[in-house]
Amino acid sequence: MRCTRCGTKAVYHSLYSGHNFCVKCFLKNVDHRVKTAINKHKLFDTKDRILIAISGGKDSQVLATILSKIEKKFPNVTLMALLIDEGVPGYRDFGLKRSKELCKELGIPLTVTSFKELFGYSLPEITSIAEKKEVMLGACTFCGILRRRAMNIKAKELNATKVATGHNLDDEAQTVLMNLLRGDVLRLLRLGPKPVEELPGFVPRVKPLRYIPEKEITLYAYFKGYPLYEVECPYVRTSMRDEIRFILNEIEKKHPGTKYAIVRAADKLSTMNTSFKVHVDTCKYCGEPTSRSICRACELLEALGVMT
Ligand code: SF4
Ligand code: ZN
Ligand code: ZN
């Protein structure tokens, strides 16, 4: 198998494009597709203060690497990174160590915070209180809501103008399907490549890896020699996302290009959605922006009786 671009020995065949790649051309091609997505969807301005959500996993390592390459051409852009530790014993330790190493290597200042610091409780403490109080929500629901809240609080503290997350094509296709299965039409209409409108109090979140399949992110990290997590979060197998991941992978095997088609459908839906406006208020407890009188994070913490 020969590289379609340069004719040397190929190491990867892309089923959906039909191209073969050598290591060098593969890395270049991924960089190029990320840059194209950034330009096409105008994800950043030339003066942005970009906060990278880093976890130490493959996606955020690849995101930080590609953004730091791009940043070199834009001297007025500032890159920063934020790691949020949920407090799951034995899980985040690797990610924290790896994030510190990589940020040092790339010259990106890293801020570390935790659920404990911001909300008074770690994720395992929250899930055990939820069990006792019979609040029937999965760990990933708490984790996702509190993580988004933590990210927005810290982004504002750090004067960030954008938050960049490492969500890849698989994550995005799963999210679209999950919202469809839950019948959450409003959220479905807001799953485009960047926020439809700027909302007061929210630092906009963008996803530069949105069109890169998870498999290619893993390969990118592997070819770069990046160490990867050997343990997974103990809660991952209990999530609905995990079931959707399995289903989507099965469909993709039989019909290559399905994940991409789902994400493109979400892109189109988000542009059709011109008359849809979100009303933004401030949470009466924490002052963070919300479309209701109490934000989702405070609602959860209140239900558990752990509001600080
Ligand atoms: Fe959080 Fe769930 Fe991911 Fe674990 S698997 S880090 S609980 S969202
Ligand atoms: Zn090549
Ligand atoms: Zn609140």
Side-chain angles (χ1 to χ4, degrees):
M1 187 165 80
R2 295 273 144 200
C3 174
T4 316
R5 302 282 156 94
C6 71
T8 57
K9 187 172 175 282
V11 289
Y12 174 61
H13 172 71
S14 160
L15 262 184
Y16 62 87
S17 74
H19 292 166
N20 302 325
F21 292 100
C22 67
V23 172
K24 206 170 152 203
C25 292
F26 172 80
L27 295 174
K28 257 192 182 169
N29 178 262
V30 173
D31 289 351
H32 175 73
R33 280 153 56 212
V34 174
K35 269 186 229 160
T36 305
I38 292 173
N39 292 337
K40 182 174 171 199
H41 299 291
K42 299 188 176 58
L43 299 189
F44 300 120
D45 292 331
T46 50
K47 289 185 183 156
D48 264 334
R49 287 176 58 80
I50 304 168
L51 182 62
I52 302 169
I54 200 157
S55 65
K58 61 185 185 327
D59 304 296
S60 62
Q61 290 193 60
V62 171
L63 177 67
T65 303
I66 297 180
L67 288 188
S68 84
K69 271 191 226 171
I70 298 175
E71 184 222 10
K72 294 198 171 57
K73 299 206 178 99
F74 297 94
N76 294 325
V77 165
T78 306
L79 280 188
M80 307 168 275
L82 174 69
L83 182 136
I84 302 167
D85 184 358
E86 319 79 2
V88 179
Y91 169 60
R92 197 51 86 193
D93 309 350
F94 165 84
L96 181 58
K97 182 172 166 279
R98 179 59 193 144
S99 299
K100 282 183 182 164
E101 271 167 18
L102 184 68
C103 286
K104 196 169 167 211
E105 208 176 285
L106 300 173
I108 301 174
L110 171 68
T111 302
V112 178
T113 188
S114 65
F115 281 6
K116 187 101 179 167
E117 182 186 318
L118 292 172
F119 308 113
Y121 296 86
S122 67
L123 186 63
E125 286 168 344
I126 288 171
T127 53
S128 89
I129 297 169
E131 256 172 51
K132 281 185 203 130
K133 300 229 165 186
E134 297 184 356
V135 176
M136 305 306 284
L137 291 170
C140 296
T141 304
F142 289 113
C143 188
I145 291 170
L146 296 179
R147 176 179 302 282
R148 278 193 293 279
R149 172 51 35 89
M151 191 65 69
N152 202 50
I153 293 172
K154 295 307 270 187
K156 286 192 283 188
E157 267 179 35
L158 293 163
N159 292 321
T161 52
K162 298 272 165 59
V163 169
T165 64
H167 293 91
N168 58 46
L169 181 79
D170 294 49
D171 298 325
E172 293 294 89
Q174 290 155 16
T175 303
V176 174
L177 220 54
M178 276 166 69
N179 283 294
L180 186 65
L181 296 180
R182 287 175 175 151
D184 194 339
V185 180
L186 291 188
R187 192 156 293 162
L188 201 55
L189 292 172
R190 300 178 68 78
L191 292 177
K194 66 176 192 178
V196 188
E197 64 205 290
E198 296 222 348
L199 299 172
F202 279 114
V203 181
R205 278 193 298 266
V206 296
K207 300 162 182 175
L209 306 184
R210 177 176 167 89
Y211 305 103
I212 313 292
E214 180 169 22
K215 189 164 84 178
E216 296 189 2
I217 301 281
T218 309
L219 266 183
Y220 193 106
Y222 173 75
F223 289 147
K224 294 290 274 184
Y226 291 164
L228 300 178
Y229 268 96
E230 280 171 11
V231 287
E232 60 182 16
C233 175
Y235 299 114
V236 72
R237 300 288 158 204
T238 61
S239 66
M240 179 188 190
R241 183 176 287 277
D242 198 50
E243 290 174 52
I244 305 270
R245 174 184 295 122
F246 177 78
I247 295 166
L248 264 178
N249 285 344
E250 289 299 302
I251 302 176
E252 180 77 28
K253 254 189 247 160
K254 289 185 197 143
H255 310 282
T258 302
K259 291 173 188 170
Y260 188 73
I262 292 173
V263 171
R264 287 291 298 138
D267 286 1
K268 285 180 198 150
L269 277 176
S270 74
T271 58
M272 283 176 194
N273 166 34
T274 47
S275 63
F276 175 63
K277 282 263 176 279
V278 177
H279 163 75
V280 180
D281 225 322
T282 18
C283 170
K284 70 177 186 185
Y285 291 138
C286 71
E288 279 289 296
T290 173
S291 55
R292 305 170 309 169
S293 63
I294 302 173
C295 74
R296 191 90 171 98
C298 287
E299 189 183 64
L300 288 182
L301 297 173
E302 194 180 35
L304 301 180
V306 295
M307 281 270 277
T308 45

